[in-house]
Amino acid sequence: MPHFQTDLTELLGIRLPIVNAPMTPQAGGALAGAVSDAGALGMLGFDEDESAEQIREQIAILKDRSNPNFGIGLVAWVLQKRPELLQIALDAKPKLVSISFGDASAWVGALHDAGILVSCQIQNRHWAQVALDAGVDFLIAQGTEAGGHTGAVGTLPLLQIVLDMSDKPVIAAGGIATGRGVAAVLAAGACGAWVGTPFLLAKESRTTTEAQKRITASDETQTILTSVYDRVQGKGWPKEFRGRALRNAFVEKWNEHENEMLADANAVADFKSAKVSRDFNTANIYAGQSVGMLHGLRSAREIVEQLAADAAVRLKEGAELLT
Ligand SMILES: Cc1cc2nc3c(=O)[nH]c(=O)nc-3n(C[C@H](O)[C@H](O)[C@H](O)COP(=O)(O)O)c2cc1C
């Protein structure tokens, strides 16, 4: 396995510049642990809908190993609603806490005082500046290709903009699913790749079998950025962050007609029962455009090792372009 040297590997003490995104609830303790054990950085996402006890169970799974390298992902507006999650994160003693989708300034001091590095996942120049002003250690530039909640700017334009804003290390997120993608963002100046959707098909992820089948069967044209699922569930997501999900009949019908959807009692009831019965013609599967590159289940270690090995080949080939 190659050994990379970037700001990410140096500051976190890891071998490979790859991070599994803290996807909730799919990135639990088993996935994060397997990713860390493979030499990358495993991230555990704290799910807004899970109790403190359920979150601590996932931490216990993750910490039942000798490897201390792991991170925790939090969401700014969820932290405001549930401030106790910060203490749970501090008690877990991660190397990195990442706060997405909002201003992290209220929490950076306490995390730094505990010796924890802080990153912020940002989606445009405005949010990058807010994170820089908050004093974070890393920026995660998250493009619109990403699965789950995200902004409207593509990964490559956003990465170029953010890399030029400061000297802070930047990790790229959104649409990275092969060594080519990892090599591309490292060559552009990122210190790592933040990879989500491909780990939905990791054997250790908490993705359901039916959802994994649908992800495998989807191509890159079959996702949509939508607020339908936040609105139908009454979630507190700020409007600017919509969620990228697989297209299905429900989202095709109600996307951009969310007010009508909410006025239709059948639509809301249908969604609720579909969520329980896991009927994904109606219920949501958040996933990014990289579904078009995914072909089946692998272990987290296999995913990490293939990304790293193929990226190393591409980077060496890239260096040969210079005569
Ligand atoms: C199913 C799913 C759930 C996600 N949940 C979260 C989350 O809770 N917090 C967060 O910061 N990002 C979350 N994300 C976004 C990821 O952090 C990351 O930006 C994204 O997965 C990277 O792009 P990719 O999916 O194309 O690899 C989620 C993504 C997915 C696919």
Side-chain angles (χ1 to χ4, degrees), residues 21-24 26 74-75 100-101 121 142 145-149 173-176 194-198 200 286-288 290:
M23 301 177 288
T24 51
Q26 291 83 354
L74 298 163
V75 170
S100 297
F101 310 117
Q121 187 159 232
Q142 185 202 32
E145 299 92 318
H149 287 81
I176 303 168
W194 181 275
V195 179
T197 297
L200 295 175
Y286 283 123
S290 71

Side-chain angles (χ1 to χ4, degrees), residues 33-92:
V35 168
S36 287
D37 287 345
L41 185 72
M43 297 281 296
L44 172 64
F46 280 12
D47 192 305
E48 58 171 304
D49 296 325
E50 288 190 332
S51 67
E53 197 183 10
Q54 288 169 317
I55 290 172
R56 285 200 186 93
E57 278 168 20
Q58 294 301 318
I59 294 171
I61 295 170
L62 172 58
K63 295 206 73 161
D64 189 22
R65 300 149 45 257
S66 56
N67 187 338
N69 295 326
F70 70 92
I72 284 175
L74 298 163
V75 170
W77 66 264
V78 176
L79 254 183
Q80 266 157 1
K81 212 171 67 173
R82 295 183 60 190
E84 75 278 10
L85 295 184
L86 185 72
Q87 192 56 50
I88 299 177
L90 287 165
D91 293 345

